Amino acid sequence: MDLVEFQGKQLFKRNGVPVPKEGAVCRTVDEVEQAARDIIQAGEAGMVVVKAQVKTGGRGKAGGVKLAKSVDEARELGESILGLDIKGHEVRVVYVEPASDIAEEYYLSVMHDRVHKGYLVICSREGGVDIEEVNRTNPDAVVKESILPSEAPGGELPRERAEDIMSRANIPDDVRDEAADLLVKLFATLVNEDATLAEINPLIRTEDGRVIALDAKVSLDGNAAFRHDDYDEWKIEGIDADDPLEAEAKEKGIQYVKLEGSVGILGNGAGLVMATLDVVAQHGGEAANFLDVGGGASADAMAQSLGLVLKDPNVRSVFINIFGGITRGEEVANGIVEATKRLGDFPQKLVVRLDGTNAEEGRRILDEADLPSVVTAPTMDEAAAKAVELANA
Ligand code: GDP
Ligand code: MN
């Protein structure tokens, strides 16, 4: 589960990772005004920052993070940010925090590294910007350090290791100790809280020489929820609404997970669907979803599943990958024919690969139906190539 920024900061705070002075979580313009008044009048800071709490990055660029010098100005920001749409996420909650004085912006993150069965620490002196972009244009400015669990027993990253990372990232001498301390605590946070990612961008050096996490992006591992009594308390009203298509799928009992790419994927059986994601990736495509039509693949199931996938505006082609077992090929083919009739016009092409029980008959049915939106392919590989080609066309 991804946390929003203010939750990430709460988690940091209780694990000793320094964050700005606590602010207030607001859902209305009046609450924003009150929060700003409290901060400014209490002399906590001369300015406040109003920050959209949505589970997506790049809020600053989208106008979701702004500074205010007065209570009135904060109120105006509340008006403009609440209700804003940031990459499809409606802002329902803002965090109003005492503003920090930034001298420099760095980047620091710790995450699970499945490939090396360990952890990965990434640190850069160039923060506050898109770190992947920095990595592309100036890879030397980004330190990537693999850490094996055995090298950090009990989640304790050795202090020398942290210092070494900071010095290789050219974090200035006078704040290096502090930054190394922070990294040790961030690492322990990831391990002890069962997070898969803890990212700080920017990690700042304040005008008065402190190092604090100005932003927080934390993902908690749902598989470890049983170890944390407070896990469910991180879910917040208005933010944790499912993706609308995922919600619709859940209601209909369809196994559907939305992803970021453009190739819609329908398969029968979770294993085959996962293999399909891989094949699409091998052909340079990116899956738009993960959808398991399950055992039946009847006309009804097919129409519902296909209807759902085609509703995703990112989907540019659909790869239907069916291996007939109990599900028979002709049943699936009839399902596809019926589903396309029910769905009417849609711009995307469907690439169908049928194998297994009665696959030949299934293919014959599809060929005879001569549907303009359907292309068949004999193998999974060819089907993937075709689907990717169509998605990129
Ligand atoms: P993101 O765009 O979603 O990553 O949101 P961030 O929390 O990283 O904020 C974006 C940018 O806003 C930061 O890189 C800072 O430059 C700026 N910013 C955020 N909070 C403050 C603050 O308290 N003071 C100042 N001066 N700038 C801030
Ligand atoms: Mn950020």
Side-chain angles (χ1 to χ4, degrees), residues 51 58-59 128 199-202 214-216:
K51 309 185 81 174
R59 295 166 301 159
E199 180 185 61
I200 305 175
N201 190 21
L214 196 68
D215 192 5

mmCIF file of all heavy atoms in Angstrom, residues 51 58-59 128 199-202 214-216, ligand 2:
data_model
loop_
_atom_site.group_PDB
_atom_site.id
_atom_site.type_symbol
_atom_site.label_atom_id
_atom_site.label_comp_id
_atom_site.label_asym_id
_atom_site.label_seq_id
_atom_site.Cartn_x
_atom_site.Cartn_y
_atom_site.Cartn_z
ATOM 1 N N LYS A 51 0.169 21.397 0.366
ATOM 2 C CA LYS A 51 0.579 20.275 -0.484
ATOM 3 C C LYS A 51 -0.540 19.271 -0.731
ATOM 4 O O LYS A 51 -1.122 18.724 0.209
ATOM 5 C CB LYS A 51 1.769 19.552 0.165
ATOM 6 C CG LYS A 51 2.906 20.491 0.573
ATOM 7 C CD LYS A 51 4.118 19.730 1.110
ATOM 8 C CE LYS A 51 4.977 19.187 -0.028
ATOM 9 N NZ LYS A 51 6.230 18.582 0.480
ATOM 10 N N GLY A 58 5.216 14.133 -8.846
ATOM 11 C CA GLY A 58 5.160 15.332 -9.676
ATOM 12 C C GLY A 58 4.050 16.294 -9.303
ATOM 13 O O GLY A 58 3.499 16.990 -10.150
ATOM 14 N N ARG A 59 3.732 16.345 -8.009
ATOM 15 C CA ARG A 59 2.661 17.248 -7.576
ATOM 16 C C ARG A 59 3.077 18.700 -7.771
ATOM 17 O O ARG A 59 2.266 19.535 -8.136
ATOM 18 C CB ARG A 59 2.330 16.989 -6.095
ATOM 19 C CG ARG A 59 1.758 15.616 -5.847
ATOM 20 C CD ARG A 59 1.782 15.312 -4.372
ATOM 21 N NE ARG A 59 3.159 15.386 -3.860
ATOM 22 C CZ ARG A 59 3.473 15.566 -2.585
ATOM 23 N NH1 ARG A 59 2.527 15.717 -1.691
ATOM 24 N NH2 ARG A 59 4.732 15.601 -2.208
ATOM 25 N N GLY A 128 15.316 16.874 -5.800
ATOM 26 C CA GLY A 128 14.209 17.791 -6.071
ATOM 27 C C GLY A 128 13.778 17.751 -7.519
ATOM 28 O O GLY A 128 12.853 18.424 -7.936
ATOM 29 N N GLU A 199 11.299 6.748 -0.062
ATOM 30 C CA GLU A 199 12.000 7.697 -0.922
ATOM 31 C C GLU A 199 11.836 9.127 -0.413
ATOM 32 O O GLU A 199 10.727 9.536 -0.053
ATOM 33 C CB GLU A 199 11.453 7.600 -2.349
ATOM 34 C CG GLU A 199 12.132 8.559 -3.323
ATOM 35 C CD GLU A 199 11.479 8.526 -4.712
ATOM 36 O OE1 GLU A 199 10.279 8.845 -4.834
ATOM 37 O OE2 GLU A 199 12.181 8.172 -5.669
ATOM 38 N N ILE A 200 12.943 9.854 -0.404
ATOM 39 C CA ILE A 200 12.920 11.256 0.023
ATOM 40 C C ILE A 200 13.433 12.110 -1.122
ATOM 41 O O ILE A 200 14.618 12.083 -1.446
ATOM 42 C CB ILE A 200 13.817 11.479 1.259
ATOM 43 C CG1 ILE A 200 13.425 10.535 2.399
ATOM 44 C CG2 ILE A 200 13.730 12.927 1.709
ATOM 45 C CD1 ILE A 200 14.355 10.621 3.606
ATOM 46 N N ASN A 201 12.551 12.853 -1.745
ATOM 47 C CA ASN A 201 12.954 13.710 -2.861
ATOM 48 C C ASN A 201 12.132 14.997 -2.860
ATOM 49 O O ASN A 201 11.001 14.989 -3.288
ATOM 50 C CB ASN A 201 12.761 12.983 -4.192
ATOM 51 C CG ASN A 201 13.388 13.757 -5.339
ATOM 52 O OD1 ASN A 201 14.257 14.577 -5.134
ATOM 53 N ND2 ASN A 201 12.911 13.502 -6.556
ATOM 54 N N PRO A 202 12.658 16.069 -2.351
ATOM 55 C CA PRO A 202 14.048 16.243 -1.949
ATOM 56 C C PRO A 202 14.295 15.983 -0.459
ATOM 57 O O PRO A 202 13.450 16.203 0.379
ATOM 58 C CB PRO A 202 14.289 17.723 -2.229
ATOM 59 C CG PRO A 202 12.967 18.371 -1.925
ATOM 60 C CD PRO A 202 11.924 17.346 -2.316
ATOM 61 N N LEU A 214 11.957 16.573 3.150
ATOM 62 C CA LEU A 214 10.912 17.537 2.790
ATOM 63 C C LEU A 214 9.727 16.840 2.127
ATOM 64 O O LEU A 214 8.618 17.351 2.116
ATOM 65 C CB LEU A 214 11.475 18.601 1.853
ATOM 66 C CG LEU A 214 10.605 19.852 1.704
ATOM 67 C CD1 LEU A 214 10.578 20.640 2.995
ATOM 68 C CD2 LEU A 214 11.094 20.748 0.573
ATOM 69 N N ASP A 215 9.986 15.686 1.560
ATOM 70 C CA ASP A 215 8.917 14.924 0.920
ATOM 71 C C ASP A 215 9.079 13.481 1.391
ATOM 72 O O ASP A 215 10.150 13.103 1.880
ATOM 73 C CB ASP A 215 9.053 15.015 -0.618
ATOM 74 C CG ASP A 215 7.815 14.489 -1.355
ATOM 75 O OD1 ASP A 215 6.820 14.134 -0.688
ATOM 76 O OD2 ASP A 215 7.857 14.424 -2.604
ATOM 77 N N ALA A 216 8.041 12.672 1.258
ATOM 78 C CA ALA A 216 8.114 11.278 1.696
ATOM 79 C C ALA A 216 7.247 10.423 0.804
ATOM 80 O O ALA A 216 6.061 10.701 0.622
ATOM 81 C CB ALA A 216 7.626 11.152 3.140
HETATM 82 MN MN MN B 2 9.070 15.137 -4.215
#
